[in-house]
Amino acid sequence: MTAGNKELRLGALREALTSGTLRPAQRMVAAMHPAEVASMLESLPPRQRELVWEFVDKEIEGDVLVELNENVRNELIEEMETAELVAAAEGMELDDLADLVRDLPETVTLQVLRSMDQRDRERLRNVLAWPDDSAGGLMNTDTVSVRPDVTLEVVLRYLRMRGDLPPRTDSLFVVDRDDRYLGTIGLTRIITGDPDDAVGDSLDTDAPRIEPDTAAHEVAQLFQDRDLVSAAVVGREGKLLGRITVDDVVDVIREEAEHSVLSMAGLQDDEDLFAAIVPSAQRRMLWLGINLVTAFLAASVVKSFEGTIEKVAALAALMPIVASMGGIAGTQTVTLLIRGLALGQVQWTNARWLLFKEIAVAGFNGIIWAVVVGAVTVFWFGTWKIAGVIAAAMLINLLAAAIVGVVVPLTLRRFAIDPALSAGVILTTFTDCIGFATLLGLGAWFLT
């Protein structure tokens, strides 16, 4: 569903709900894919959300719940009966079911497990044994495996007997008699190869094998680098545990993108745009408080130069320029560093080169814009002294912003702190304090 189509559907749905013509609204919801229904629910205020949820087909409720962000999902789960939750879990793909079960009340989880046959119960427990942000938590155990000594003709007969394959199957996994993973064979090769050839003759031994404790973002990077549709998850003893498919990796990439954007504003990944006022205010309160402390710190720097500002009032008008330019330059550097860290491109081994490069870029831009600001200052105030002070202060602040923009994210990562969450606040504090102190300090030195 494109953004334009979504806007049209959302507008039509809201109009139907507002006018009280619920039957057309029900038909619209029934025609949507579970992911589209989830997106629509997240785009509605709570009252309309509850009403639309009543229109969702019981057979796809579980699939819709999995697609929702955590806050919205938990709100709907709290309103659902135990029997309804158990019914929603039936027929779901194992990896999606594992995601849903983690958010269900324990009593409901036990009933879901009891409703499953022994084989599926064990498969689900194997997935739940791993963190949800690991390869083991992402994997699905619905693998199709074959032996290396059988012929392609035998494999084709076996596939015809099965009747269907798990979604997004592009290759079969090849294992020995002890279920130890050997490699893969593509479906294309099975269909087009000589029927008398053995599977082992066409074995792709270079196919990636992912350990179950591999972090989800590393899995996403592997899929991106190798253009994978699926990959095997292999235990330490070499046994095939399951597979990860590209649809799960797309979810990881989307969540990481949301995390980067929201964390830089001090917001949670699962922030509900239409959440109630008090919970929303509480979630944002912490970082507003932290920002207030840093603002007082910057204000204390300004206060210590009260005498200078009284004597040279022009400096008060120029202070925001220095702080703003430093903040923007630092934000550019921090953003690039956070992206590089997420992609695995930035390490301590190449940090020195990157630091010198960012200092050079800041110096180049600093000289150019210092000249521009100096010229404007001469036009405003008619004095080269003030122009020289602000030009020097801007250059120094841009150089400081470059250093802070490189060092802070790397240091935070070293201490296992998410740079996206904290680097912005630290950067703003440094650039404000350094910018004000430099401008006012130089002003006190040369102008009073």
Side-chain angles (χ1 to χ4, degrees):
M1 179 169 57
T2 64
N5 288 338
K6 179 180 176 181
E7 186 175 353
L8 290 174
R9 287 192 182 188
L10 182 60
L13 184 60
R14 281 179 172 163
E15 185 178 346
L17 294 173
T18 303
S19 63
T21 54
L22 300 185
R23 193 174 296 279
Q26 191 170 5
R27 284 198 298 268
M28 276 186 272
V29 173
M32 294 180 187
H33 185 274
E36 295 175 340
V37 176
S39 178
M40 196 69 67
L41 287 169
E42 291 176 356
S43 305
L44 293 170
R47 287 190 179 180
Q48 292 184 342
R49 183 182 293 163
E50 292 173 5
L51 186 58
V52 170
W53 179 246
E54 296 296 323
F55 299 156
V56 177
D57 191 329
K58 302 299 180 185
E59 293 184 0
I60 67 167
E61 280 187 345
D63 296 320
V64 174
L65 287 172
V66 169
E67 297 290 341
L68 292 168
N69 76 51
E70 188 175 341
N71 275 344
V72 177
R73 178 166 62 239
N74 288 339
E75 287 177 5
L76 293 176
I77 286 175
E78 288 176 3
E79 300 298 323
M80 295 174 69
E81 300 291 336
T82 299
E84 188 179 1
L85 287 168
V86 172
E90 292 180 359
M92 293 181 63
E93 292 186 23
L94 193 66
D95 52 346
D96 291 337
L97 178 58
D99 292 336
L100 178 60
V101 163
R102 287 186 172 97
D103 290 330
L104 295 178
E106 186 176 353
T107 54
V108 177
T109 300
L110 292 174
Q111 289 202 34
V112 170
L113 290 172
R114 282 197 292 267
S115 68
M116 303 171 69
D117 59 43
Q118 182 65 28
R119 179 171 173 271
D120 287 340
R121 190 181 304 130
E122 288 303 318
R123 291 168 61 194
L124 179 59
R125 283 175 173 158
N126 288 337
V127 175
L128 292 175
W130 301 98
D132 57 355
D133 58 351
S134 68
L138 291 175
M139 73 177 178
N140 199 323
T141 58
D142 60 348
T143 58
V144 179
S145 57
V146 294
R147 301 280 173 77
D149 53 347
V150 300
T151 65
L152 300 185
E153 176 62 30
V154 172
V155 174
L156 283 170
R157 288 204 304 267
Y158 165 66
L159 295 179
R160 292 189 192 102
M161 288 176 60
R162 277 184 60 99
D164 60 2
L165 290 172
R168 290 163 293 278
T169 296
D170 64 322
S171 59
L172 305 186
F173 300 115
V174 183
V175 298
D176 62 15
R177 294 183 179 278
D178 297 318
D179 277 338
R180 284 193 291 266
Y181 176 76
L182 301 177
T184 65
I185 179 170
L187 289 180
T188 302
R189 176 59 182 167
I190 294 172
I191 295 171
T192 62
D194 188 333
D196 295 326
D197 285 350
V199 168
D201 296 335
S202 303
L203 184 63
D204 180 7
T205 56
D206 293 329
R209 56 181 71 197
I210 303 173
E211 295 186 358
D213 56 357
T214 304
H217 69 88
E218 294 180 19
V219 175
Q221 188 65 50
L222 177 64
F223 268 70
Q224 177 180 314
D225 293 342
R226 301 280 294 270
D227 293 328
L228 301 175
V229 175
S230 65
V233 179
V234 182
R236 296 189 184 279
E237 297 179 356
K239 290 194 174 183
L240 179 65
L241 301 179
R243 68 179 184 129
I244 297 174
T245 52
V246 68
D247 60 314
D248 300 311
V249 173
V250 169
D251 291 339
V252 172
I253 295 172
R254 183 195 65 193
E255 290 167 4
E256 287 189 345
E258 291 176 352
H259 171 77
S260 297
V261 173
L262 293 174
S263 291
M264 292 187 75
L267 300 175
Q268 298 178 2
D269 298 358
D270 53 2
E271 186 80 19
D272 179 8
L273 187 62
F274 295 96
I277 295 173
V278 174
S280 296
Q282 289 175 337
R283 282 193 288 269
R284 303 182 194 186
M285 192 177 297
L286 173 62
W287 285 100
L288 287 173
I290 293 174
N291 186 70
L292 181 60
V293 172
T294 62
F296 273 120
L297 183 60
S300 68
V301 173
V302 176
K303 188 176 185 303
S304 63
F305 289 95
E306 282 181 317
T308 303
I309 296 175
E310 288 177 1
K311 293 179 182 178
V312 188
L315 295 179
L318 299 173
M319 282 164 47
I321 299 175
V322 176
S324 174
M325 291 295 286
I328 291 297
T331 299
Q332 291 172 337
T333 302
V334 163
T335 302
L336 289 173
L337 259 291
I338 292 175
R339 176 180 178 273
L341 287 169
L343 295 175
Q345 298 171 340
V346 179
Q347 307 291 337
W348 281 103
T349 53
N350 58 12
R352 179 179 296 181
W353 187 95
L354 193 58
L355 176 61
F356 288 141
K357 177 250 184 179
E358 288 300 318
I359 290 175
V361 170
F364 183 82
N365 278 327
I367 291 171
I368 292 175
W369 292 111
V371 171
V372 172
V373 171
V376 173
T377 304
V378 171
F379 176 75
W380 276 359
F381 300 104
T383 171
W384 284 101
K385 283 188 175 182
I386 296 178
V389 166
I390 189 173
M394 179 175 293
L395 177 59
I396 292 171
N397 202 23
L398 260 64
L399 292 172
I403 296 171
V404 173
V406 172
V407 173
V408 167
L410 287 168
T411 304
L412 291 172
R413 175 59 66 88
R414 172 62 63 89
F415 289 100
I417 301 173
D418 185 0
L421 189 62
S422 320
V425 175
I426 298 174
L427 170 73
T428 301
T429 303
F430 270 96
T431 54
D432 284 355
C433 291
I434 293 172
F436 293 152
T438 304
L439 177 64
L440 297 176
L442 291 174
W445 195 355
F446 290 105
L447 303 178
T448 59

